[in-house]
């Protein structure tokens, strides 16, 4: 699909072609990858937030356990330091091993996956005990107790990851329903169909393109939910939405794209970018008689990917009544879904920036396989 002549497009060195964003091609990749993603969610320890929580949990357990044998504060600190010297490397070894093997584990049945995680926990516990024995921190090595401690940690961590993965499903379903309601609001559908009807006789090709874009929006909204899609897919969907709005608003809607092709493979929850673009049009362009400007920017900065959606604000002097304010549901939805997918590695900020309203998202860049 092509953008309207009224849209100014600024691309980085490599241009993101429109065909790259076509949904059918992305679906072919997404459908093939979906089962693997679903299976790997049980052992998705390859996140900073998971590592931090595991380390803090173990340190808290060690601190409490040391209180039972410590004779005073100084002895307690000594006990905690000694236990940490064995437990912390063991925990990190388990996390690294499970993260490195998550693709292989995903090919196996769940009982085999759980057993593998438990076995890795036993080996990690023995490794921690061996470190303390080699350094002389322990006079005699409690091999059996260490193995059982590693097993218990692995079972607790795996159980938490399973519950965490299951907890994402109803949240994702609820978010998807909210997105669907936002995407096919009656007045948007009514305006789109009216615009298409008005173009049928005078510009049938444009009317056909408009209806194709609308059909694609519906298809994406009603498609089977996936854990994540690429940023390139989300940009393509936003292009279709803005192509429809361009017909409605004409020269009142001025769009600028600053897209970095290196950021296109970053992972996002599906149907995340379009509500942000829709909010920008609804609150920045529609209330103003002169229209407004909308800018979508993506950029890869090392191990991070930056996404920005910026819109101008309508001048207050044109408003005969107070401008409508949203309830922040869409923004809260976006923030929650980013947290579910990327945990603490995702950053989300939204607010006024001089005469503009800016939404800024930072997510981890995909690692090379």
């Amino acid at each position: 699909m092509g953008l309207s002549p009224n849209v100014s497009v600024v691309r980085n060195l490599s241009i993101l072609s429109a065909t790259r964003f076509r949904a059918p091609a992305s679906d072919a990749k997404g459908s093939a990858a979906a089962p693997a993603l679903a299976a790997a969610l049980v052992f998705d320890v390859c996140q900073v937030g998971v590592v931090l929580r595991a380390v803090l949990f173990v340190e808290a357990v060690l601190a409490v356990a040391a209180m039972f044998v410590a004779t005073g504060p100084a002895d307690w600190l000594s006990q905690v330091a000694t236990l940490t010297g064995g437990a912390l490397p063991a925990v990190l070894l388990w996390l690294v091993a499970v993260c490195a093997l998550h693709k292989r584990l995903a090919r196996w049945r769940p009982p085999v996956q759980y057993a593998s995680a438990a076995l890795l926990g036993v080996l990690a516990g023995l490794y921690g005990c061996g470190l303390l024995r080699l350094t002389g921190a322990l006079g005699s090595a409690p091999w059996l107790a260490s193995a059982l401690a590693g097993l218990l940690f692995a079972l607790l961590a795996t159980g938490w990851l399973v519950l965490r993965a299951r907890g994402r499903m109803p949240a994702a379903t609820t978010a998807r329903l909210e997105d669907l309601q936002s995407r096919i609001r009656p007045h948007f559908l009514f305006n789109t169909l009216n615009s298409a009807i008005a173009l049928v006789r005078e510009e049938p090709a444009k009317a056909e393109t408009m209806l194709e874009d609308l059909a694609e929006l519906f298809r994406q909204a009603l498609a089977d939910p996936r854990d994540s899609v690429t940023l390139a897919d989300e940009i393509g969907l936003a292009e279709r939405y803005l192509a429809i709005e361009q017909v409605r608003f004409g020269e009142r809607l001025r769009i600028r794209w600053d897209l970095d092709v290196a950021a296109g493979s970053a992972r996002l929850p599906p149907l995340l970018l379009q509500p942000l673009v829709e909010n920008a049009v609804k609150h920045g362009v529609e209330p103003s008689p002169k229209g407004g400007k909308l800018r979508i920017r993506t950029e890869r900065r090392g191990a991070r990917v930056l996404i920005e959606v910026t819109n101008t604000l309508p001048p207050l002097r044109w408003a005969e009544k107070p401008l409508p304010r949203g309830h922040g549901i869409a923004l809260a939805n976006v923030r929650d879904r980013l947290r579910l997918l990327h945990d603490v590695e995702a950053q989300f900020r939204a607010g006024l920036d001089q005469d503009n309203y800016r939404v800024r998202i930072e997510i981890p860049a995909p690692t090379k396989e």
Side-chain angles (χ1 to χ4, degrees):
M1 55 168 263
L3 294 175
S4 168
N6 295 321
V7 183
S8 61
V9 182
V10 178
R11 308 274 177 163
N12 284 354
L13 295 179
S14 300
I15 298 178
L16 290 172
S17 63
T19 55
R20 176 187 179 97
F21 298 134
R22 289 290 184 178
S26 64
D27 283 350
K29 297 179 182 178
S31 60
L37 285 172
L41 284 176
V42 175
F43 296 103
D44 187 16
V45 301
C46 306
Q47 294 186 13
V48 175
V50 174
V51 175
L52 289 176
R53 291 183 180 96
V55 170
L56 291 175
F57 171 75
V58 170
E59 286 297 315
V61 171
L62 294 179
V64 174
M67 293 180 181
F68 288 94
V69 296
T71 57
D75 185 43
W76 175 77
L77 288 175
S78 176
Q79 293 283 352
V80 171
T82 299
L83 294 173
T84 299
L88 188 57
V91 170
L92 294 178
L93 175 64
W94 186 84
L95 292 169
V96 170
V98 173
C99 180
L101 296 174
H102 76 279
K103 288 189 176 181
R104 184 181 298 275
L105 292 171
R107 302 191 189 106
W108 299 338
R109 296 171 61 85
V112 180
Q113 296 183 29
Y114 303 147
S116 300
L119 177 60
L120 289 173
V122 171
L123 295 177
L126 294 175
Y127 170 76
C129 182
L131 284 180
L132 293 178
R133 185 69 181 89
L134 289 175
T135 57
L138 293 178
S140 60
W143 298 108
L144 179 59
S146 299
L148 292 177
L151 174 63
L152 180 60
F153 167 78
L155 293 177
L156 289 175
T158 303
W160 171 65
L161 290 170
V162 171
L163 293 176
R164 184 171 182 262
R166 290 178 179 175
R168 294 172 65 171
M169 290 188 291
T173 302
T174 301
R176 179 170 171 266
L177 291 176
E178 292 177 356
D179 284 335
L180 177 59
Q181 293 173 355
S182 171
R183 199 145 294 97
I184 56 175
R185 290 192 317 240
H187 81 267
F188 169 71
L189 176 61
F190 179 78
N191 289 336
T192 302
L193 292 177
N194 270 352
S195 299
I197 291 172
L199 292 172
V200 166
R201 293 185 178 180
E202 298 181 359
E203 300 181 77
K206 185 178 291 188
E208 181 181 359
T209 301
M210 189 177 188
L211 292 176
E212 287 177 353
D213 290 333
L214 180 63
E216 181 61 24
L217 286 175
F218 270 87
R219 193 189 70 81
Q220 288 285 349
L222 297 173
D224 291 335
R226 286 173 285 169
D227 179 69
S228 65
V229 297
T230 64
L231 175 58
D233 293 331
E234 287 293 287
I235 292 290
L237 197 63
E239 283 187 335
R240 289 184 178 274
Y241 172 79
L242 289 175
I244 294 174
E245 296 290 46
Q246 190 73 68
V247 176
R248 288 182 54 208
F249 293 104
E251 295 183 355
R252 291 178 58 202
L253 175 58
R254 298 178 292 280
I255 310 169
R256 174 173 174 173
W257 301 85
D258 292 319
L259 302 178
D260 183 358
V261 68
S265 57
R267 308 299 298 188
L268 287 173
L271 300 174
L272 187 89
L273 186 59
Q274 192 274 338
L276 299 178
V277 174
E278 184 176 350
N279 268 4
V281 173
K282 179 181 179 181
H283 298 290
V285 178
E286 190 172 355
S288 176
K290 294 184 179 180
K293 298 178 182 179
L294 176 61
R295 183 188 183 196
I296 297 96
R297 183 168 79 94
T298 65
E299 180 183 355
R300 177 162 183 167
R301 297 178 178 176
R304 307 286 293 175
V305 168
L306 170 68
I307 307 166
E308 283 188 349
V309 178
T310 308
N311 62 272
T312 55
L313 297 174
L316 294 178
R317 65 177 181 273
W318 291 105
E320 298 179 357
K321 57 182 179 179
L323 294 176
R325 293 186 177 182
H327 300 286
I329 297 177
L331 296 180
N333 183 17
V334 168
R335 184 184 295 106
D336 291 342
R337 298 179 69 197
L338 282 172
R339 187 180 297 114
L340 282 173
L341 182 62
H342 293 296
D343 203 19
V344 297
E345 294 182 275
Q347 297 182 13
F348 178 89
R349 294 190 294 273
L352 297 177
D353 183 6
Q354 296 181 351
D355 295 332
N356 300 318
Y357 190 86
R358 186 187 308 275
V359 175
R360 180 187 177 97
I361 297 172
E362 286 189 38
I363 56 176
T367 56
K368 294 183 180 180
E369 299 295 338

